[in-house]
Amino acid sequence: MKICRIDERHSLNTSCNSWMQIPNLKDMSECLLVDEIQDCLPEEIEVFFRCTKNVCFAGDNRQRIFSAHSVIEDLEKRMKVIELKTHYRIGHEICRVADVVGKAAGLAPIEDDCNYKDAEAKVHFIQCADDDEQAARIIEGLKIQLTAYPEDLLAVAAPRIADREFLRERLEASELSPFVLPHRESGSDDPNQRIYIAHLYEIKGLEFRTIHLGLMQHLHKLRENQKRIAYTAITRAKTTVSIYFVTIQHRVCGRVSLHDPRLRHPAPDLLLILRGSSVFPS
């Protein structure tokens, strides 16, 4: 899956308008299935309708991390809707933590619809002295999980590109280097390569047995998108989510608090939201 930057999405918008002018585009295929529709542009939707006779869209508004406007609401007015309420992939404890984040973002809960039957799910909150300790503890956790889940994909993710590169550098310098997947590759011909390293935008649409969310003290820097991004990240794991951070405190940007209403997009720190809930260990 290709994750577009804002400038790339603007370019995609322009391209869609050009594609609509292509005469041979209309009904060029019999059927089209489009997944992750929640982050599509309205212009993309029109291209999909034009290029096929029959189209099926799949998506979840709770996983929307790019578009401010939901195309799903518009599609519901044009198509037959089949809502799948029960899910089987995410463990109950992970659902509970996701619901805390989701509630802060105005999203409906998912635990009540959970039918997970696999191993007991766990969510760990791990406070570290510094970033190096976070990397070291992630490596130790992965060593155990590579043995415990010999055929499953494991993930390491962090809020920003710089955070991802820090963790990738540490893992590639460790004894786990042979297990690390190439950048932006979620699979490999080498069965040993099972550790996917990404920033939080890059794990959208993927699923893992476990996920290590490192350097999460920088989560607030994603600003108004952090709730949905964190929600999507947490719900990528089936069995274990480990959240690492340096400290939880009221952070300050220059002389203005990130909670200050004078900011254009106030960004409440989700680590503080989690810490104030029943899912965070006392």
Side-chain angles (χ1 to χ4, degrees), residues 16-219:
C16 287
N17 291 330
S18 299
W19 293 337
M20 289 295 287
Q21 308 306 315
I22 301 175
N24 295 336
L25 183 67
K26 184 172 175 57
D27 294 343
M28 62 182 298
S29 67
E30 287 292 326
C31 184
L32 181 66
L33 172 61
V34 186
D35 198 6
E36 299 292 327
I37 196 68
Q38 68 274 5
D39 275 313
C40 282
L41 297 168
E43 292 80 8
E44 289 178 286
I45 298 298
E46 296 308 317
V47 170
F48 297 142
F49 273 120
R50 183 173 177 80
C51 73
T52 187
K53 296 177 182 178
N54 301 281
V55 60
C56 176
F57 296 113
D60 182 354
N61 252 334
R62 289 173 293 201
Q63 306 287 343
R64 177 165 48 88
I65 61 175
F66 286 112
S67 304
H69 173 72
S70 170
V71 296
I72 291 180
E73 295 171 2
D74 296 333
L75 285 171
E76 288 175 340
K77 301 172 185 177
R78 303 172 64 176
M79 305 180 69
K80 177 183 178 181
V81 177
I82 301 175
E83 185 176 2
L84 306 177
K85 293 186 177 181
T86 303
H87 62 92
Y88 299 83
R89 182 177 60 81
I90 306 169
H92 287 272
E93 181 65 20
I94 296 173
C95 289
R96 281 192 282 275
V97 174
D99 282 345
V100 171
V101 178
K103 183 178 180 181
L107 306 178
I110 60 173
E111 187 187 2
D112 292 344
D113 300 322
C114 179
N115 231 340
Y116 181 80
K117 304 297 184 183
D118 209 334
E120 182 181 1
K122 296 289 185 181
V123 179
H124 305 290
F125 296 90
I126 303 166
Q127 183 165 345
C128 300
D130 53 33
D131 293 350
D132 288 328
E133 183 185 348
Q134 291 188 60
R137 296 188 69 169
I138 289 172
I139 290 169
E140 290 306 310
L142 286 168
K143 289 179 184 178
I144 297 171
Q145 291 168 349
L146 284 166
T147 301
Y149 308 112
E151 298 181 356
D152 289 314
L153 192 61
L154 313 176
V156 176
R160 306 170 303 167
I161 292 175
D163 305 327
R164 176 198 68 194
E165 292 307 299
F166 172 83
L167 292 174
R168 175 173 285 279
E169 179 182 313
R170 293 299 190 276
L171 264 74
E172 289 183 341
S174 75
E175 62 190 274
L176 297 186
S177 180
F179 300 96
V180 174
L181 283 159
H183 177 51
R184 299 290 288 271
E185 297 291 336
S186 59
S188 171
D189 292 334
D190 182 349
N192 289 322
Q193 292 184 326
R194 295 189 289 114
I195 300 175
Y196 182 78
I197 305 175
H199 65 72
L200 295 186
Y201 282 104
E202 293 173 329
I203 58 175
K204 170 183 160 60
L206 300 174
E207 63 179 58
F208 311 94
R209 173 60 66 179
T210 70
I211 189 167
H212 296 264
L213 300 176
L215 282 71
M216 291 295 278
Q217 69 270 15
H218 298 306
L219 178 64

